Amino acid sequence: MTSAPRINRAAVAVAVGTVLKYIDEDSGREGLWNTPERVAEMYGEIFAGVGRDPADEIDAVFSDNVTQDPVMVRDIPFFSMCEHHLLPFFGHAHLVYVPDRHIAGISKIARALDTASRRLQVQERLTAQLADAVLSRVEPLAVACRLEAEHMCMSMRGVHKPGHRVVTTAVRLATNSSANGSGSAVAPRDLLDMLGH
């Protein structure tokens, strides 16, 4: 399992204190006394996925009585932080895969999403990382992911469009399966349709 670097909370607190000094006319008031430390602690939580491989979370894979019927999990909530403006984006993930020889513990897919989300991200890369994690550990015939999210950098600044949805998708096909997708219960091209619009 990948060793995750520890966030230097003391250094983060100093940096946050410096930012507060330059954006608030009264940065010494009581309400801000412990804000740098609180922010540093929060960053330790929301960036806990830094340096960790999302695929490592999929550590429960089963091989008994596996069929090639699609497995779908929908509406997994996630929160992440946009690396362009350091503002959150959040929404739901949907994933479907066609097993070949293995199936995954469903909660492990959610854990993989959490690990990939808890770092500075862009939604396109997050979608790809979740699909790649499932492809790597479960080795399905095909896997498709769909993420829908609202980005605070579009809602509270810039164009000010709250309530928007950014939709990203990723599809991965097995390259070394004996069936190569043709013998599965659903064609890979149909996976995104299964995830909905």
Side-chain angles (χ1 to χ4, degrees):
M1 183 172 291
T2 307
S3 176
R6 294 182 61 85
I7 290 178
N8 187 331
R9 295 189 182 186
V12 171
V14 170
V16 171
T18 300
V19 171
L20 290 175
K21 177 180 178 181
Y22 289 103
I23 64 173
D24 194 283
E25 72 281 0
D26 184 17
S27 61
R29 68 180 181 273
E30 182 180 7
L32 295 176
W33 283 356
N34 296 313
T35 295
E37 291 76 19
R38 285 192 291 263
V39 172
E41 182 178 358
M42 176 188 70
Y43 279 178
E45 179 180 351
I46 65 176
F47 296 136
V50 173
R52 295 169 55 192
D53 185 349
D56 288 342
E57 301 295 338
I58 307 177
D59 58 2
V61 178
F62 308 98
S63 303
D64 290 340
N65 301 315
V66 173
T67 69
Q68 292 181 354
D69 297 315
V71 177
M72 182 185 304
V73 57
R74 296 181 57 88
D75 298 316
I76 310 172
F78 72 90
F79 301 85
S80 194
M81 188 74 82
C82 174
E83 65 184 32
H84 299 145
H85 293 97
L86 296 185
L87 286 171
F89 65 95
F90 55 92
H92 291 84
H94 320 289
L95 181 141
V96 59
Y97 71 93
V98 180
D100 187 3
R101 300 178 304 276
H102 313 292
I103 57 173
I106 295 299
S107 68
K108 305 304 183 179
I109 294 174
R111 290 183 184 276
L113 174 63
D114 283 346
T115 296
S117 299
R118 293 183 180 183
R119 62 188 70 184
L120 294 174
Q121 270 289 14
V122 295
Q123 186 174 330
E124 296 86 344
R125 183 169 65 232
L126 175 58
T127 309
Q129 288 175 345
L130 179 59
D132 289 339
V134 173
L135 184 68
S136 170
R137 291 305 168 96
V138 187
E139 300 180 330
L141 296 172
V143 58
C145 298
R146 175 186 173 95
L147 269 61
E148 304 176 15
E150 179 172 355
H151 291 241
M152 288 296 98
C153 57
M154 275 188 65
S155 296
M156 63 183 292
R157 60 160 298 283
V159 295
H160 297 280
K161 298 298 181 185
H164 71 275
R165 287 191 312 163
V166 176
V167 179
T168 50
T169 59
V171 178
R172 302 289 186 267
L173 306 178
T175 58
N176 58 353
S177 169
S178 58
N180 196 27
S182 61
S184 63
V186 60
R189 65 180 177 273
D190 295 330
L191 294 179
L192 287 176
D193 289 338
M194 294 182 64
L195 292 177
H197 301 284

